[in-house]
Amino acid sequence: MSSRDAPRREWDEWGVRRRVWSRRELLSALFAAGVSGCKVETIFNPVDTTGIPRFPDCDLNTDFIVQGAARDAVPPLDNPRWVRADQTVPAYLDPDTRVIGVHTFGVSYAIPHNVLWHHEVVNLDPGGPLGPRLGVTHCPLTGSSRVFDRATVGGARLGVSGLLFMNNLMFFDRTAAESAWPQMSGRAGCGARIGERMATVPFFEMDWAEWVSLYPETRVLAQDQGFDPVFFDYSALAYPYGPYREISTFWRPFTMPPEDTRRFSKEVVIGVPSEPGVSGIAFPYGAFADRGEPYQVVGFTHKGADALVLWSEQARGGMTFRPRTEGGATVTMRATQAGFMDDETGSSWTVDGLAIGGSRAGERLVAMAETYTAYWRAWAAFNPDTRLWV
């Protein structure tokens, strides 16, 4: 039975049933999350309680904006400390810890979810003064991860505004005329840059065990990030929202459009977002699981051009690509029981689009930078005309 046939079933974030909560547990969880059966006043004011002006200009529906926390109450990580996985592995990492993987300037980085739960933004400057300025972001309430190129705002660092739009993190740029950006849209919705879009960077979301097997020398966030270890011991800190991932309700459901019930609301999807005149498309994790194949290749069309998804059950994740290498060679990909292989040369490939065997070893597929992961209900709210692959 699919999630569309049983909307009340409780699933984990991979579209697999975990447990059913009792009515009492659910009510307690909803109460803790601030959810009630009656609509309460939306907390949004362009001037906060300290009198600091807060984005007086917005072109967003302010009925969908709430003040989830004070500005900078969730501290971002700036120039974080790293360790190499082939030298030491922080205690907070388990094989199934979810990580955002980024490969740039010949170096791989892993930014784990269980650190981002408590920071939401990591300002990463790979490559030193000559390298890019990246903003790695994760919103626990919408289950969404995105990596941005901060060159859009002159390399300025990003912070956590404390505002939520449709339950989604709104980060802000630390410029003289700052703006607030809903993470899932990647578009400035309040402030001086209203309407501007922030460029995105390809990333891969998968289990730590798979990422480190692909990149044994990967850098990963160190346990000590210079905060008080009493409050920021990542090996001891649990998921901060209790059973939130396992229940259907979002934190402030009244700040979202009506729910699209085609999939379970907290199921994770890989999505290519909508653009003016172009419908987005979502690939649910549960749909991959239903097919029961360890590796899968799914072809689709976006903006009138061919594209494909590579999915790995072992990694519990996937990514979208154009069917060509960064050097311009055409690739026809198929799944095998051990991974992926191209028809042109018989070279073998990994789920992150890297050829590791055959005449194309070392080549990479062109990853679609706009692709990201999110909970289904949040995805459908930001992409209401989305297509759904099942």
Side-chain angles (χ1 to χ4, degrees):
M1 180 182 294
S2 69
S3 57
R4 66 173 65 184
D5 298 320
R8 292 181 61 85
R9 284 177 65 177
E10 301 306 327
W11 300 65
D12 69 12
E13 64 246 57
W14 322 119
V16 179
R17 192 171 186 175
R18 179 184 293 171
R19 62 167 291 187
V20 176
W21 291 78
S22 70
R23 178 178 174 82
R24 182 173 182 178
E25 288 175 316
L26 285 172
L27 289 174
S28 296
L30 294 177
F31 179 79
V35 177
S36 70
C38 301
K39 179 172 179 177
V40 299
E41 182 181 359
T42 300
I43 307 169
F44 174 72
N45 192 319
V47 178
D48 71 7
T49 55
T50 64
I52 300 173
R54 187 63 53 80
F55 311 119
D57 298 318
C58 286
D59 71 350
L60 302 172
N61 183 343
T62 55
D63 287 341
F64 289 170
I65 300 178
V66 296
Q67 185 86 41
R71 174 190 173 107
D72 283 325
V74 178
L77 290 180
D78 294 330
N79 288 322
R81 301 171 182 177
W82 304 91
V83 294
R84 275 180 40 166
D86 59 344
Q87 297 174 350
T88 183
V89 176
Y92 67 81
L93 282 167
D94 291 320
D96 62 352
T97 298
R98 297 296 285 178
V99 301
I100 295 171
V102 178
H103 185 80
T104 182
F105 262 63
V107 179
S108 300
Y109 299 87
I111 303 93
H113 281 196
N114 59 356
V115 175
L116 281 167
W117 292 338
H118 309 285
H119 297 284
E120 300 188 12
V121 171
V122 174
N123 290 298
L124 169 62
D125 300 340
L130 300 179
R133 300 289 181 263
L134 305 182
V136 182
T137 66
H138 178 72
C139 177
L141 296 179
T142 51
S144 51
S145 302
R146 300 199 81 177
V147 180
F148 296 95
D149 184 348
R150 295 173 6 238
T152 307
V153 290
R157 301 200 177 280
L158 308 180
V160 180
S161 71
L163 297 172
L164 300 170
F165 176 66
M166 295 199 294
N167 275 285
N168 182 232
L169 157 71
M170 291 182 72
F171 60 82
F172 70 96
D173 56 87
R174 297 186 189 277
T175 60
E178 61 191 32
S179 299
W181 310 67
Q183 178 225 28
M184 288 184 63
S185 71
R187 174 187 176 277
C190 302
R193 297 179 182 269
I194 287 177
E196 292 187 29
R197 292 190 177 275
M198 192 169 293
T200 51
V201 175
F203 70 95
F204 307 93
E205 191 166 287
M206 63 182 71
D207 285 357
W208 163 248
E210 184 70 4
W211 181 256
V212 76
S213 73
L214 296 174
Y215 299 100
E217 297 181 356
T218 187
R219 273 65 169 170
V220 63
L221 289 173
Q223 168 68 43
D224 179 10
Q225 291 294 335
F227 293 95
D228 187 334
V230 173
F231 300 103
F232 287 93
D233 179 358
Y234 305 112
S235 60
L237 287 174
Y239 178 72
Y241 301 100
Y244 177 79
R245 290 177 294 182
E246 300 169 35
I247 60 178
S248 62
T249 305
F250 273 60
W251 184 62
R252 288 286 191 265
F254 58 82
T255 66
M256 303 186 79
E259 183 170 1
D260 185 327
T261 59
R262 287 180 289 170
R263 304 295 294 189
F264 175 67
S265 60
K266 294 281 180 64
E267 183 177 10
V268 173
V269 300
I270 301 168
V272 184
S274 303
E275 296 181 17
V278 180
S279 296
I281 184 169
F283 300 87
Y285 276 31
F288 288 109
D290 288 345
R291 299 179 84 185
E293 297 293 334
Y295 298 96
Q296 299 175 45
V297 178
V298 178
F300 67 104
T301 301
H302 186 66
K303 295 183 182 178
D306 291 339
L308 55 87
V309 179
L310 299 185
W311 167 267
S312 165
E313 187 65 27
Q314 182 171 330
R316 292 196 301 166
M319 182 55 178
T320 64
F321 302 89
R322 295 300 184 182
R324 63 180 184 273
T325 67
E326 292 176 343
T330 298
V331 177
T332 305
M333 197 72 73
R334 58 188 171 89
T336 70
Q337 288 299 303
F340 307 95
M341 180 177 293
D342 71 67
D343 289 342
E344 289 79 8
T345 69
S347 298
S348 55
W349 301 73
T350 57
V351 69
D352 65 327
L354 175 66
I356 57 172
S359 62
R360 282 179 166 163
E363 297 185 35
R364 286 186 178 275
L365 295 179
V366 175
M368 297 175 67
E370 63 268 45
T371 298
Y372 66 95
T373 53
Y375 288 146
W376 163 247
R377 183 174 184 186
W379 174 265
F382 277 88
N383 300 275
D385 62 346
T386 190
R387 295 172 286 162
L388 181 63
W389 172 80
V390 291

